[in-house]
Amino acid sequence: MITTHKSDLEGTSRDASGPGWTSLRLLVKSDGMGFSMTETRVLPGAVLTLEYKNHVEACYCIGGAGTVTELDSGAVHHITPGVLYAPNAHDRHEVRNDGTEPFHLICVFSPALQGDEVHGPDGSYASS
């Protein structure tokens, strides 16, 4: 059984951030679950261009709001609390927060993240 409190992870290598985002890695590869889970915040004004070439991801919004744009098709999805989005085909996408509060997500990645990754120049994480 794995139990942890997020306060035990804050300020450690599992507390990752980059321009416009923070991500607390609640479960990582070394936990042996086969997937990772993060508590992620996209900060107000942030626009993130992402393409997870080595992972699939599912994100569930628990606070704030934002948009996710599929860059190949131009389809725009409005994400609010209770909405899940999953770029299941390694979709190149843009996550935007035009609001005044963080866009708060719980995200699951497969394969699992190591825990200290940050996005590369192409918006992806390196393979785990």
Side-chain angles (χ1 to χ4, degrees):
M1 175 75 62
I2 298 169
T3 64
T4 190
H5 192 279
K6 72 181 201 174
S7 64
D8 295 330
L9 303 174
E10 291 169 336
T12 72
S13 63
R14 288 187 176 197
D15 195 357
S17 63
W21 61 275
T22 65
S23 183
L24 189 63
R25 280 60 192 283
L26 304 169
L27 288 172
V28 295
K29 186 176 184 176
S30 63
D31 292 317
M33 297 292 294
F35 62 90
S36 57
M37 179 181 286
T38 70
E39 180 179 4
T40 298
R41 288 180 173 82
V42 179
L43 304 177
V47 178
L48 309 175
T49 301
L50 306 169
E51 181 180 10
Y52 294 115
K53 298 174 182 178
N54 303 303
H55 300 84
V56 290
E57 171 195 37
C59 297
Y60 183 70
C61 181
I62 60 172
T67 59
V68 175
T69 303
E70 297 177 51
L71 294 177
D72 290 338
S73 70
V76 177
H77 307 279
H78 298 279
I79 311 298
T80 57
V83 175
L84 174 133
Y85 72 91
N88 60 319
H90 306 282
D91 307 292
R92 198 166 153 260
H93 60 288
E94 179 183 272
V95 179
R96 178 181 295 269
N97 180 350
D98 290 326
T100 59
E101 64 181 85
F103 180 19
H104 194 176
L105 304 163
I106 299 297
C107 305
V108 175
F109 285 88
S110 178
L113 300 177
Q114 296 286 340
D116 58 355
E117 292 90 341
V118 295
H119 299 109
D122 64 354
S124 72
Y125 292 135
S127 59
S128 298

